[in-house]
């Protein structure tokens, strides 16, 4: 079956990804771009916190700094909510929650971009 623009409807991905899969996939793409830019040494990590699996990007500067402590952004996708914890080397961590139904790929990219701009 084709729609009015000639696109085969069955070829379109209409099912929504689980929050875990979405977060994991987007962070892997972010890591690839960060490594390509070469400004940060970054790694993608996974952990379990309060029985929720989390995914995080950990950032270390490529230039010498006064702090050896890395900065990181963590995503904790659950059924209804996604927690996002920003951990800066120079200030206390901040944890915010967002409705899982409203979180999509552009939103996650924006969170990572905003975090990177606030690291220094």
């Amino acid at each position: 079956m084709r729609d009015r623009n000639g696109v085969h409807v069955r070829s379109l991905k209409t099912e929504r990804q689980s929050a875990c899969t979405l977060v994991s996939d987007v962070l892997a793409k972010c890591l690839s771009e960060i490594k390509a830019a070469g400004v940060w040494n970054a790694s993608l990590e996974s952990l379990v916190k309060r029985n929720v699996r989390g995914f995080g990007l950990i950032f270390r500067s490529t230039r010498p700094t006064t702090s050896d402590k890395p900065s990181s952004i963590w995503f904790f996708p659950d059924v209804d909510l996604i927690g996002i914890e920003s951990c800066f080397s120079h200030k206390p961590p901040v944890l915010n929650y967002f409705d899982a139904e409203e979180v999509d790929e552009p939103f996650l990219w924006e969170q990572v971009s905003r975090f990177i701009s606030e690291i220094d």
Side-chain angles (χ1 to χ4, degrees):
M1 181 174 165
R2 296 188 181 276
D3 73 359
R4 63 187 168 132
N5 295 319
V7 176
H8 196 274
V9 177
R10 287 188 197 167
S11 67
L12 297 176
K13 195 172 187 179
T14 56
E15 65 187 50
R16 183 168 168 85
Q17 288 181 310
S18 74
C20 261
T21 302
L22 175 67
V23 168
S24 176
D25 289 353
V26 171
L27 292 186
K29 290 178 189 177
C30 289
L31 180 61
S32 178
E33 259 194 42
I34 291 164
K35 284 184 173 185
V39 177
W40 294 97
N41 287 328
S43 61
L44 179 58
E45 302 288 332
S46 175
L47 62 76
V48 176
K49 186 174 185 177
R50 296 186 195 113
N51 296 325
V52 175
R53 186 167 181 199
F55 303 91
L57 288 172
I58 300 173
F59 295 87
R60 287 182 172 80
S61 180
T62 57
R63 59 188 187 279
T65 63
T66 57
S67 173
D68 284 338
K69 187 176 176 186
S71 295
S72 58
I73 183 168
W74 292 90
F75 296 81
F76 298 98
D78 203 352
V79 176
D80 299 323
L81 296 173
I82 293 181
I84 301 176
E85 185 174 28
S86 300
C87 304
F88 298 97
S89 61
H90 58 282
K91 57 186 175 182
V94 176
L95 177 62
N96 293 303
Y97 291 95
F98 300 90
D99 186 336
E101 289 293 319
E102 296 176 7
V103 172
D104 58 7
E105 187 169 336
F107 176 82
L108 296 174
W109 277 92
E110 179 184 334
Q111 297 303 308
V112 172
S113 294
R114 184 178 303 143
F115 176 80
I116 291 172
S117 70
E118 293 179 22
I119 290 177
D120 283 331

